[in-house]
């Protein structure tokens, strides 16, 4: 998927194929939001007017590049995680032994399917922190791109949460479910207001 053209990816996303789906889409939009951070930084570095901001922008560029790479990888991983769940559900269940084995593999796959979008949530919040750090230091001509980046990352964060939540609903391990619910809520509690803060700051500056 990650080597597909934008059109090819969207065509598959729009088809009746169940994967890639919302999780992969969340990772993609997160990568877009992170790329916009890099764009804004690149448009700031080398400008005499923003010379004092250059060290910060170079630091943000380095961090954004890593996050973008991670999010692109998670596009593929989310699709793979779904396919593992689908494969587990197709396992035979004719005997008690087969049923037990199938249940074990389904639960294992569901945990993987919850973990991948959770990682997307983590990366989205990290990228939002970069956008916040850039406020007041980046090229003002590209400030609208900072706002778009924040909106993309908010969508990635909230979209990934939906994919975490739908998988948690089928997991029997109560400790696992509780842990992921709590950690995800912490990310939402930080990330959503952060995205709104960046967006509002951009809006006020226009």
């Amino acid at each position: 998927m990650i080597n597909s053209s934008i059109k090819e990816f969207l065509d598959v996303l729009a088809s009746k194929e169940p994967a890639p789906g919302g999780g992969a889409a969340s990772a993609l939009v997160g990568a877009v939001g992170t790329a916009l951070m890099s764009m804004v930084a690149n448009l700031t570095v080398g400008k005499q007017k923003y010379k004092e901001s250059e060290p910060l922008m170079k630091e943000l560029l380095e961090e954004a590049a890593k996050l973008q790479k991670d999010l692109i990888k998670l596009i593929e991983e989310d699709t793979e995680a779904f396919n593992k769940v689908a494969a587990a559900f197709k396992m035979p269940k004719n005997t008690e032994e087969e049923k037990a084995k199938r249940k074990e593999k389904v639960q294992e796959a569901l945990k993987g399917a919850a973990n991948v979008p959770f990682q997307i949530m983590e990366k989205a919040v990290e990228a939002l922190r970069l956008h916040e750090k850039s406020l007041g230091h980046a090229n003002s001509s590209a400030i609208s791109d900072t706002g778009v980046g924040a909106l993309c990352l908010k969508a990635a964060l909230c979209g990934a949460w939906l994919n975490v939540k739908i998988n948690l609903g089928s997991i029997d391990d109560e400790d696992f479910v509780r842990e992921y619910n709590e950690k995800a809520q912490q990310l939402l509690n930080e990330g959503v207001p952060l995205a709104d803060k960046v967006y509002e700051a951009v809006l006020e500056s226009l």
Side-chain angles (χ1 to χ4, degrees):
M1 283 283 79
I2 59 176
N3 292 318
S4 303
S5 69
I6 294 174
K7 183 182 182 303
E8 288 170 338
F9 181 86
L10 292 177
D11 284 346
V12 177
L13 193 64
S15 74
K16 64 181 180 181
E17 292 296 323
S26 297
L28 175 61
V29 76
V32 171
T34 307
L36 283 166
M37 173 66 251
S38 295
M39 173 190 172
V40 171
N42 275 317
L43 288 170
T44 306
V45 171
K47 296 285 195 297
Q48 185 62 36
K49 182 179 177 181
Y50 301 99
K51 191 173 181 63
E52 290 184 7
S53 299
E54 192 157 308
L56 173 62
M57 288 298 115
K58 287 182 176 179
E59 178 187 321
L60 297 182
L61 265 174
E62 187 176 337
E63 293 180 40
K66 291 176 186 174
L67 287 172
Q68 183 180 327
K69 184 177 179 181
D70 290 341
L71 283 160
I72 290 171
K73 186 179 177 185
L74 286 165
I75 296 172
E76 196 75 52
E77 288 184 10
D78 188 78
T79 302
E80 290 171 1
F82 176 86
N83 289 337
K84 286 180 182 177
V85 172
F89 273 112
K90 290 178 182 176
M91 289 176 67
K93 50 180 178 177
N94 300 311
T95 66
E96 291 304 314
E97 185 180 349
E98 285 180 346
K99 287 177 182 177
K101 186 66 175 177
R102 177 179 177 273
K103 182 177 179 180
E104 178 187 341
K105 288 296 182 182
V106 165
Q107 289 296 309
E108 182 183 307
L110 285 168
K111 286 182 177 181
N115 182 55
V116 174
F118 178 78
Q119 290 182 63
I120 296 170
M121 293 180 73
E122 290 182 313
K123 302 301 177 185
V125 172
E126 288 180 47
L128 280 165
R129 290 175 190 148
L130 302 186
H131 276 294
E132 183 190 31
K133 286 181 182 178
S134 76
L135 292 174
H137 301 283
N139 190 331
S140 60
S141 297
I143 191 66
S144 59
D145 299 296
T146 295
V148 175
L151 290 172
C152 286
L153 288 161
K154 182 180 180 181
L157 173 64
C158 295
W161 165 234
L162 295 178
N163 284 269
V164 172
K165 195 166 177 61
I166 196 169
N167 287 295
L168 291 181
S170 301
I171 294 173
D172 297 333
D173 186 337
E174 292 180 5
D175 290 337
F176 182 95
V177 172
R178 187 182 306 109
E179 179 186 356
Y180 272 73
N181 264 316
E182 289 175 359
K183 289 182 176 178
Q185 195 58 57
Q186 289 171 4
L187 291 170
L188 289 167
N189 289 345
E190 178 185 357
V192 171
L194 191 54
D196 292 342
K197 175 187 174 182
V198 173
Y199 175 76
E200 290 300 329
V202 169
L203 202 56
E204 288 174 12
S205 70
L206 298 177

